[in-house]
Amino acid sequence: MTPHSAKTRARWWLAMAGVCALLAIVAGMMTAGVGMPRIPASGIRIDAPDTLLVTDASGATAELRLITGAPARLDPRVYAAEEIDTASYVGAEVPVDADIGFLMPGEAPPAARQLRGQGIDGAGELRDLYDALGAYVLIDDGEGGVLPETVDAQGNRTAGKDSSGLVVQVDDDTVSRLFPAYNTTVRAVSGAEAEAPAWDVQFDLAAAHEQGRTNLPLPLGWYASPVAHALDAAAPWLLGGSIVATVLALALARRASVRDRRGSALDRAQLELD
């Protein structure tokens, strides 16, 4: 091997080491979760407004306030998404459902709950994933009658169930439906508003994500992409392989450099003998 070819080979291996080191940096970021389709540990959350103004067909208004400590999360909490519907289902008018919207263990959700996809829960089981519900309590109903309510046997005002065909307008264009809530749940966390009717407000994930109001920083479809999941699974292996390749390329570059120096020394010695 001539000194020139040895020097060329050393430079080539150094260049390869640089490329592998760059790949290792990228793989390290991927392994840390940068750009990967990982669901936050707290679940998929929507930034729900503190208050909502509800208006009926007559123009009468009612105000709902978000119950402190009850964030709007997709139901149930999942740690990986297998399928996500990226379409928005928000209309100009918001239906008021006749059934409780909250998913109780062992109970099927009402048909009106928006199915958003499927995900893996904490037990590793594949579960249907529904749009988030925000827990609200009525704090100002103006002249009354905007949202249906009843009085139970204890005299508490509760959200009216079995309403049919009622639609309202809400001053948030990510709200897709209103559901009557369990009054006992509200009494446990709403304090002074214990006797006020409670409502579960369904927020459209696609519409909220488009407005930047979710805790998912990447495009919505990426979280259920098979390519994204494959890259996430391969990231630690890519990191390890890139580190090994970098070390090997540096070793080969050093070896070629040593050969280059030896060749140059032999050439100088030969010239001195001549």
Side-chain angles (χ1 to χ4, degrees):
M1 180 184 298
T2 65
H4 176 73
S5 63
K7 185 177 294 185
T8 300
R9 184 164 299 227
R11 290 174 179 172
W12 188 86
W13 282 117
L14 282 174
M16 286 298 298
V19 171
C20 292
L22 180 60
L23 284 175
I25 293 173
V26 173
M29 295 174 64
M30 292 168 58
T31 302
V34 177
M36 295 294 97
R38 300 183 187 177
I39 302 298
S42 60
I44 302 175
R45 190 182 67 253
I46 289 177
D47 294 333
D50 291 334
T51 59
L52 292 170
L53 187 65
V54 180
T55 306
D56 68 9
S58 70
T61 60
E63 190 174 6
L64 298 174
R65 184 162 69 192
L66 184 67
I67 297 173
T68 303
R73 290 193 182 95
L74 265 67
D75 200 4
R77 187 179 302 184
V78 296
Y79 298 90
E82 293 295 313
E83 180 182 345
I84 292 182
D85 183 357
T86 59
S88 175
Y89 299 98
V90 177
E93 295 181 316
V94 177
V96 179
D97 206 82
D99 197 3
I100 298 291
F102 189 73
L103 276 68
M104 294 295 290
E107 292 184 0
R113 282 298 304 274
Q114 182 58 54
L115 180 63
R116 185 52 62 177
Q118 290 186 316
I120 305 297
D121 66 9
E125 297 182 358
L126 186 65
R127 301 280 301 277
D128 286 338
L129 188 62
Y130 294 88
D131 272 348
L133 291 180
Y136 284 78
V137 64
L138 187 68
I139 60 172
D140 181 11
D141 60 355
E143 297 179 358
V146 175
L147 291 172
E149 62 179 71
T150 59
V151 179
D152 65 16
Q154 287 74 38
N156 294 320
R157 295 165 59 199
T158 64
K161 304 174 182 61
D162 302 323
S163 60
S164 176
L166 178 62
V167 294
V168 294
Q169 292 183 331
V170 181
D171 65 341
D172 186 302
D173 56 6
T174 67
V175 174
S176 60
R177 206 169 192 93
L178 298 181
F179 294 89
Y182 287 106
N183 195 52
T184 52
T185 301
V186 176
R187 283 206 303 269
V189 294
S190 65
E193 294 147 1
E195 295 183 358
W199 292 88
D200 285 334
V201 179
Q202 180 174 262
F203 291 91
D204 188 283
L205 175 63
H209 188 268
E210 186 176 348
Q211 295 181 13
R213 290 171 49 188
T214 72
N215 59 343
L216 301 179
L218 302 174
L220 193 57
W222 182 249
Y223 290 91
S225 168
V227 173
H229 286 300
L231 287 174
D232 195 15
W237 296 96
L238 180 59
L239 174 61
S242 299
I243 292 174
V244 171
T246 300
V247 173
L248 180 60
L250 288 172
L252 292 173
R254 183 177 183 279
R255 180 180 179 185
S257 179
V258 169
R259 286 188 175 183
D260 177 37
R261 289 197 297 272
R262 287 177 179 174
S264 298
L266 289 175
D267 289 343
R268 288 194 299 270
Q270 186 64 40
L271 287 173
E272 290 174 1
L273 289 176
D274 293 342

